[in-house]
Amino acid sequence: SEIRKELPDLSSAIEEYARNINKMIDIAQEKSVRLIFMTQPTMWKPRMPEKLDTLLWLGGIGDFQKESGKVYYSSEALEKGMKKYNDTLINICQVRQMECIDLSSILKKDTTVFFDDAHFNESGARKVSRILSNYILSQGRKSNEKLFDVVL
């Protein structure tokens, strides 16, 4: 299959993503609900080792999961695209003074975290739960936050 090294223009998709994040924040603030955002980590990176590259299956164009021979984007291109989304989230959180954990800068891009491009394996899920629980415990409860029972 052809591998493309550049993604199409993501401007309109990023704008829609930003609108959705801001709307979520507005609704949460109206309801006094605490939001903790997390960036989306992935295994994508430049010069992927073949051992990891064979685990990737996202990034195809069209109905790539059902039809063979479809065009795919390189892991480097996909990483750049995800960085745009993550940077957008981080920026919005800074401007709106929202909590955000940058998982993409914390977690390794390997099979200790992922079983494919972006889905956590058990070890990765445990790491995320530890990061989130440690964050919540270190930050404490916010004064206007509604309390919910959470079963972990």
Side-chain angles (χ1 to χ4, degrees):
S1 294
E2 176 190 344
I3 305 293
R4 293 190 184 165
K5 296 184 187 290
E6 295 290 325
L7 292 173
D9 181 18
L10 297 177
S11 300
S12 62
I14 297 289
E15 288 170 11
E16 179 69 16
Y17 176 69
R19 275 192 298 277
N20 289 334
I21 295 298
N22 279 300
K23 185 160 181 108
M24 288 170 56
I25 293 169
D26 293 341
I27 292 168
Q29 288 177 340
E30 286 172 15
K31 309 269 185 207
S32 297
V33 173
R34 180 182 183 181
L35 289 180
I36 302 173
F37 290 97
M38 294 182 281
T39 59
Q40 174 63 59
T42 67
M43 199 159 47
W44 301 322
K45 59 185 172 186
R47 298 174 304 283
M48 291 280 294
E50 187 176 340
K51 175 183 163 189
L52 297 180
D53 192 57
T54 59
L55 300 174
L56 305 181
W57 62 279
L58 297 174
I61 298 173
D63 199 1
F64 66 94
Q65 293 177 2
K66 293 183 179 175
E67 299 174 20
S68 63
K70 292 292 185 180
V71 175
Y72 281 78
Y73 291 104
S74 70
S75 60
E76 185 172 4
L78 294 168
E79 179 192 41
K80 287 177 184 176
M82 186 56 69
K83 183 173 179 353
K84 288 181 181 186
Y85 280 92
N86 286 336
D87 288 349
T88 299
L89 177 63
I90 290 167
N91 183 55
I92 291 170
C93 288
Q94 288 172 342
V95 168
R96 305 267 327 248
Q97 299 180 331
M98 298 301 297
E99 296 174 275
C100 184
I101 301 170
D102 188 5
L103 290 178
S104 64
S105 69
I106 298 170
L107 297 171
K108 291 183 178 182
K109 294 175 168 286
D110 62 22
T111 56
T112 65
V113 177
F114 300 101
F115 70 82
D116 67 9
D117 305 61
H119 297 98
F120 300 122
N121 57 27
E122 279 190 50
S123 170
R126 273 191 234 97
K127 289 175 185 189
V128 172
S129 69
R130 264 188 245 112
I131 291 166
L132 180 57
S133 61
N134 287 340
Y135 175 83
I136 291 170
L137 291 172
S138 73
Q139 298 297 307
R141 184 175 160 267
K142 304 297 179 186
S143 60
N144 64 343
E145 173 190 5
K146 289 185 179 177
L147 294 178
F148 295 93
D149 292 325
V150 178
V151 177
L152 296 177

